Amino acid sequence: MGDLPEKTKGEFSLVQLIPNMLTIAAICAGLSAIRYGVQGNFVFAVQLIVVAGVLDGLDGRMARLLGSDSAMGAELDSLADFLNFGVAPPLILYFWALQDMNSAAWFSVLVFAVCCVVRLARFNVSSKAETDQPPSPHFTGVPSPAGALLVLLPMFATFAFPNTLVLPELVICAYMVVIGLLLISRVPTWSFKTTKVSRHNVKYYLVGVAVVAAAVLTYVWTTLVVLCLAYMVVVLWSLFTGRVPGFGGKS
């Protein structure tokens, strides 16, 4: 039996293309979220944003695991992040509660989108410039996926507690602008990528993950509200103390 031909540098196996497939799927989810938001199916639209966030969390890790990192994949992931976390969430929020308002509502949508794209551009530049630096123990500013979930918090709360009143339109606009500014802020925020768990605490960590996963599957909107509020507490702590909970040293 002859030797199998060697794979050239210009060829990829189908397995190595899985990360890019996940990114494309995330883009499709974000675009579909906008479509369903226009149609008024806001629950499904928000669910698609959450799905896009999950896919975003998987594609980069799978690329590193499979050794299929590429410049194209990185740029594709950045464009997907802008669509899924900088464009779709504020648009859905606008269609949900702000269409009857004056131009201030659209202004808040633009501010959030611009802040998100500026953050992504800053992240891309810093990641290329610091290739030899050790990973930072925290993010600078709120990451775009977290910002997308935070800006949708008014919708999560309404879905979880349908009998409560929707926040006033001006409050939602101001909230959207504040979250957008947090994206480009210098506030240190927790990065799970560099978080270390001791062997003694691994079992507690896994149990915690199981509890959160079960809560999301059973009480999705209430759990998302709780997670967003908990994350906001962490951000406020970092904002007023200059420290990330669990880490030493000033930012």
Side-chain angles (χ1 to χ4, degrees), residues 225-243:
V225 168
V226 172
L227 292 176
C228 286
L229 292 177
Y231 189 82
M232 290 176 70
V233 170
V234 173
V235 172
L236 290 173
W237 173 278
S238 302
L239 179 63
F240 290 112
T241 66
R243 294 174 179 270

PDB file of all heavy atoms in Angstrom, residues 225-243:
ATOM      1  N   VAL A 225     -31.553  37.169  34.757  1.00  0.00           N
ATOM      2  CA  VAL A 225     -31.657  38.398  35.552  1.00  0.00           C
ATOM      3  C   VAL A 225     -30.683  38.348  36.725  1.00  0.00           C
ATOM      4  O   VAL A 225     -29.947  39.310  36.994  1.00  0.00           O
ATOM      5  CB  VAL A 225     -33.100  38.601  36.057  1.00  0.00           C
ATOM      6  CG1 VAL A 225     -33.153  39.706  37.104  1.00  0.00           C
ATOM      7  CG2 VAL A 225     -34.028  38.945  34.897  1.00  0.00           C
ATOM      8  N   VAL A 226     -30.662  37.218  37.430  1.00  0.00           N
ATOM      9  CA  VAL A 226     -29.777  37.075  38.587  1.00  0.00           C
ATOM     10  C   VAL A 226     -28.317  37.163  38.159  1.00  0.00           C
ATOM     11  O   VAL A 226     -27.493  37.843  38.802  1.00  0.00           O
ATOM     12  CB  VAL A 226     -30.056  35.748  39.309  1.00  0.00           C
ATOM     13  CG1 VAL A 226     -29.017  35.494  40.395  1.00  0.00           C
ATOM     14  CG2 VAL A 226     -31.448  35.774  39.923  1.00  0.00           C
ATOM     15  N   LEU A 227     -27.952  36.499  37.064  1.00  0.00           N
ATOM     16  CA  LEU A 227     -26.568  36.528  36.591  1.00  0.00           C
ATOM     17  C   LEU A 227     -26.145  37.936  36.173  1.00  0.00           C
ATOM     18  O   LEU A 227     -25.026  38.376  36.460  1.00  0.00           O
ATOM     19  CB  LEU A 227     -26.395  35.557  35.424  1.00  0.00           C
ATOM     20  CG  LEU A 227     -26.508  34.062  35.757  1.00  0.00           C
ATOM     21  CD1 LEU A 227     -26.414  33.224  34.484  1.00  0.00           C
ATOM     22  CD2 LEU A 227     -25.422  33.637  36.736  1.00  0.00           C
ATOM     23  N   CYS A 228     -27.052  38.650  35.495  1.00  0.00           N
ATOM     24  CA  CYS A 228     -26.728  40.013  35.086  1.00  0.00           C
ATOM     25  C   CYS A 228     -26.545  40.920  36.296  1.00  0.00           C
ATOM     26  O   CYS A 228     -25.613  41.744  36.333  1.00  0.00           O
ATOM     27  CB  CYS A 228     -27.832  40.566  34.182  1.00  0.00           C
ATOM     28  SG  CYS A 228     -27.846  39.889  32.502  1.00  0.00           S
ATOM     29  N   LEU A 229     -27.414  40.790  37.287  1.00  0.00           N
ATOM     30  CA  LEU A 229     -27.294  41.619  38.489  1.00  0.00           C
ATOM     31  C   LEU A 229     -26.006  41.294  39.246  1.00  0.00           C
ATOM     32  O   LEU A 229     -25.327  42.203  39.749  1.00  0.00           O
ATOM     33  CB  LEU A 229     -28.514  41.413  39.389  1.00  0.00           C
ATOM     34  CG  LEU A 229     -29.845  41.949  38.840  1.00  0.00           C
ATOM     35  CD1 LEU A 229     -30.980  41.606  39.796  1.00  0.00           C
ATOM     36  CD2 LEU A 229     -29.775  43.457  38.603  1.00  0.00           C
ATOM     37  N   ALA A 230     -25.665  40.013  39.314  1.00  0.00           N
ATOM     38  CA  ALA A 230     -24.419  39.623  39.986  1.00  0.00           C
ATOM     39  C   ALA A 230     -23.219  40.192  39.249  1.00  0.00           C
ATOM     40  O   ALA A 230     -22.261  40.677  39.873  1.00  0.00           O
ATOM     41  CB  ALA A 230     -24.327  38.099  40.069  1.00  0.00           C
ATOM     42  N   TYR A 231     -23.244  40.155  37.935  1.00  0.00           N
ATOM     43  CA  TYR A 231     -22.136  40.705  37.154  1.00  0.00           C
ATOM     44  C   TYR A 231     -22.042  42.213  37.339  1.00  0.00           C
ATOM     45  O   TYR A 231     -20.940  42.773  37.415  1.00  0.00           O
ATOM     46  CB  TYR A 231     -22.318  40.364  35.676  1.00  0.00           C
ATOM     47  CG  TYR A 231     -21.118  40.697  34.830  1.00  0.00           C
ATOM     48  CD1 TYR A 231     -20.038  39.825  34.754  1.00  0.00           C
ATOM     49  CD2 TYR A 231     -21.060  41.882  34.106  1.00  0.00           C
ATOM     50  CE1 TYR A 231     -18.924  40.125  33.988  1.00  0.00           C
ATOM     51  CE2 TYR A 231     -19.948  42.199  33.340  1.00  0.00           C
ATOM     52  CZ  TYR A 231     -18.889  41.312  33.288  1.00  0.00           C
ATOM     53  OH  TYR A 231     -17.782  41.624  32.528  1.00  0.00           O
ATOM     54  N   MET A 232     -23.189  42.881  37.424  1.00  0.00           N
ATOM     55  CA  MET A 232     -23.182  44.327  37.645  1.00  0.00           C
ATOM     56  C   MET A 232     -22.566  44.669  39.000  1.00  0.00           C
ATOM     57  O   MET A 232     -21.865  45.680  39.138  1.00  0.00           O
ATOM     58  CB  MET A 232     -24.600  44.880  37.538  1.00  0.00           C
ATOM     59  CG  MET A 232     -25.156  44.850  36.131  1.00  0.00           C
ATOM     60  SD  MET A 232     -26.875  45.402  36.036  1.00  0.00           S
ATOM     61  CE  MET A 232     -26.674  47.142  36.390  1.00  0.00           C
ATOM     62  N   VAL A 233     -22.803  43.832  40.014  1.00  0.00           N
ATOM     63  CA  VAL A 233     -22.189  44.046  41.323  1.00  0.00           C
ATOM     64  C   VAL A 233     -20.670  43.947  41.209  1.00  0.00           C
ATOM     65  O   VAL A 233     -19.925  44.762  41.778  1.00  0.00           O
ATOM     66  CB  VAL A 233     -22.731  43.033  42.350  1.00  0.00           C
ATOM     67  CG1 VAL A 233     -21.923  43.079  43.642  1.00  0.00           C
ATOM     68  CG2 VAL A 233     -24.205  43.309  42.643  1.00  0.00           C
ATOM     69  N   VAL A 234     -20.186  42.960  40.443  1.00  0.00           N
ATOM     70  CA  VAL A 234     -18.741  42.800  40.236  1.00  0.00           C
ATOM     71  C   VAL A 234     -18.164  44.022  39.525  1.00  0.00           C
ATOM     72  O   VAL A 234     -17.093  44.531  39.890  1.00  0.00           O
ATOM     73  CB  VAL A 234     -18.455  41.519  39.434  1.00  0.00           C
ATOM     74  CG1 VAL A 234     -16.979  41.427  39.066  1.00  0.00           C
ATOM     75  CG2 VAL A 234     -18.884  40.283  40.223  1.00  0.00           C
ATOM     76  N   VAL A 235     -18.881  44.533  38.504  1.00  0.00           N
ATOM     77  CA  VAL A 235     -18.404  45.701  37.764  1.00  0.00           C
ATOM     78  C   VAL A 235     -18.374  46.928  38.672  1.00  0.00           C
ATOM     79  O   VAL A 235     -17.415  47.710  38.649  1.00  0.00           O
ATOM     80  CB  VAL A 235     -19.296  45.956  36.529  1.00  0.00           C
ATOM     81  CG1 VAL A 235     -18.937  47.285  35.869  1.00  0.00           C
ATOM     82  CG2 VAL A 235     -19.154  44.822  35.524  1.00  0.00           C
ATOM     83  N   LEU A 236     -19.421  47.114  39.483  1.00  0.00           N
ATOM     84  CA  LEU A 236     -19.444  48.260  40.393  1.00  0.00           C
ATOM     85  C   LEU A 236     -18.319  48.169  41.422  1.00  0.00           C
ATOM     86  O   LEU A 236     -17.699  49.185  41.769  1.00  0.00           O
ATOM     87  CB  LEU A 236     -20.806  48.336  41.096  1.00  0.00           C
ATOM     88  CG  LEU A 236     -21.982  48.746  40.203  1.00  0.00           C
ATOM     89  CD1 LEU A 236     -23.298  48.626  40.964  1.00  0.00           C
ATOM     90  CD2 LEU A 236     -21.802  50.169  39.685  1.00  0.00           C
ATOM     91  N   TRP A 237     -18.056  46.963  41.903  1.00  0.00           N
ATOM     92  CA  TRP A 237     -16.947  46.769  42.840  1.00  0.00           C
ATOM     93  C   TRP A 237     -15.626  47.203  42.190  1.00  0.00           C
ATOM     94  O   TRP A 237     -14.816  47.909  42.788  1.00  0.00           O
ATOM     95  CB  TRP A 237     -16.891  45.309  43.271  1.00  0.00           C
ATOM     96  CG  TRP A 237     -15.683  44.961  44.098  1.00  0.00           C
ATOM     97  CD1 TRP A 237     -14.425  44.675  43.647  1.00  0.00           C
ATOM     98  CD2 TRP A 237     -15.618  44.887  45.524  1.00  0.00           C
ATOM     99  NE1 TRP A 237     -13.580  44.405  44.696  1.00  0.00           N
ATOM    100  CE2 TRP A 237     -14.292  44.533  45.863  1.00  0.00           C
ATOM    101  CE3 TRP A 237     -16.547  45.063  46.547  1.00  0.00           C
ATOM    102  CZ2 TRP A 237     -13.873  44.361  47.169  1.00  0.00           C
ATOM    103  CZ3 TRP A 237     -16.128  44.897  47.857  1.00  0.00           C
ATOM    104  CH2 TRP A 237     -14.810  44.542  48.158  1.00  0.00           C
ATOM    105  N   SER A 238     -15.423  46.757  40.961  1.00  0.00           N
ATOM    106  CA  SER A 238     -14.194  47.103  40.247  1.00  0.00           C
ATOM    107  C   SER A 238     -14.124  48.603  39.976  1.00  0.00           C
ATOM    108  O   SER A 238     -13.048  49.212  40.038  1.00  0.00           O
ATOM    109  CB  SER A 238     -14.122  46.341  38.928  1.00  0.00           C
ATOM    110  OG  SER A 238     -14.170  44.942  39.141  1.00  0.00           O
ATOM    111  N   LEU A 239     -15.285  49.212  39.673  1.00  0.00           N
ATOM    112  CA  LEU A 239     -15.323  50.634  39.350  1.00  0.00           C
ATOM    113  C   LEU A 239     -14.917  51.487  40.542  1.00  0.00           C
ATOM    114  O   LEU A 239     -14.165  52.465  40.407  1.00  0.00           O
ATOM    115  CB  LEU A 239     -16.730  51.011  38.870  1.00  0.00           C
ATOM    116  CG  LEU A 239     -16.965  52.479  38.507  1.00  0.00           C
ATOM    117  CD1 LEU A 239     -16.098  52.884  37.323  1.00  0.00           C
ATOM    118  CD2 LEU A 239     -18.438  52.711  38.192  1.00  0.00           C
ATOM    119  N   PHE A 240     -15.385  51.127  41.731  1.00  0.00           N
ATOM    120  CA  PHE A 240     -15.155  51.956  42.910  1.00  0.00           C
ATOM    121  C   PHE A 240     -13.880  51.590  43.667  1.00  0.00           C
ATOM    122  O   PHE A 240     -13.371  52.392  44.442  1.00  0.00           O
ATOM    123  CB  PHE A 240     -16.355  51.880  43.851  1.00  0.00           C
ATOM    124  CG  PHE A 240     -17.579  52.558  43.309  1.00  0.00           C
ATOM    125  CD1 PHE A 240     -18.696  51.824  42.940  1.00  0.00           C
ATOM    126  CD2 PHE A 240     -17.605  53.935  43.147  1.00  0.00           C
ATOM    127  CE1 PHE A 240     -19.828  52.452  42.423  1.00  0.00           C
ATOM    128  CE2 PHE A 240     -18.727  54.576  42.631  1.00  0.00           C
ATOM    129  CZ  PHE A 240     -19.837  53.835  42.267  1.00  0.00           C
ATOM    130  N   THR A 241     -13.373  50.375  43.471  1.00  0.00           N
ATOM    131  CA  THR A 241     -12.177  49.967  44.193  1.00  0.00           C
ATOM    132  C   THR A 241     -10.949  49.858  43.311  1.00  0.00           C
ATOM    133  O   THR A 241      -9.820  49.834  43.797  1.00  0.00           O
ATOM    134  CB  THR A 241     -12.404  48.612  44.884  1.00  0.00           C
ATOM    135  OG1 THR A 241     -12.567  47.596  43.901  1.00  0.00           O
ATOM    136  CG2 THR A 241     -13.631  48.656  45.797  1.00  0.00           C
ATOM    137  N   GLY A 242     -11.149  49.772  41.987  1.00  0.00           N
ATOM    138  CA  GLY A 242     -10.013  49.572  41.082  1.00  0.00           C
ATOM    139  C   GLY A 242      -9.471  48.167  41.135  1.00  0.00           C
ATOM    140  O   GLY A 242      -8.396  47.896  40.605  1.00  0.00           O
ATOM    141  N   ARG A 243     -10.187  47.242  41.750  1.00  0.00           N
ATOM    142  CA  ARG A 243      -9.743  45.852  41.861  1.00  0.00           C
ATOM    143  C   ARG A 243     -10.802  44.920  41.307  1.00  0.00           C
ATOM    144  O   ARG A 243     -12.006  45.214  41.381  1.00  0.00           O
ATOM    145  CB  ARG A 243      -9.480  45.461  43.319  1.00  0.00           C
ATOM    146  CG  ARG A 243      -8.316  46.193  43.969  1.00  0.00           C
ATOM    147  CD  ARG A 243      -8.230  45.836  45.447  1.00  0.00           C
ATOM    148  NE  ARG A 243      -7.117  46.505  46.097  1.00  0.00           N
ATOM    149  CZ  ARG A 243      -5.897  46.023  46.188  1.00  0.00           C
ATOM    150  NH1 ARG A 243      -5.627  44.847  45.655  1.00  0.00           N
ATOM    151  NH2 ARG A 243      -4.945  46.696  46.801  1.00  0.00           N
TER     152      ARG A 243
END
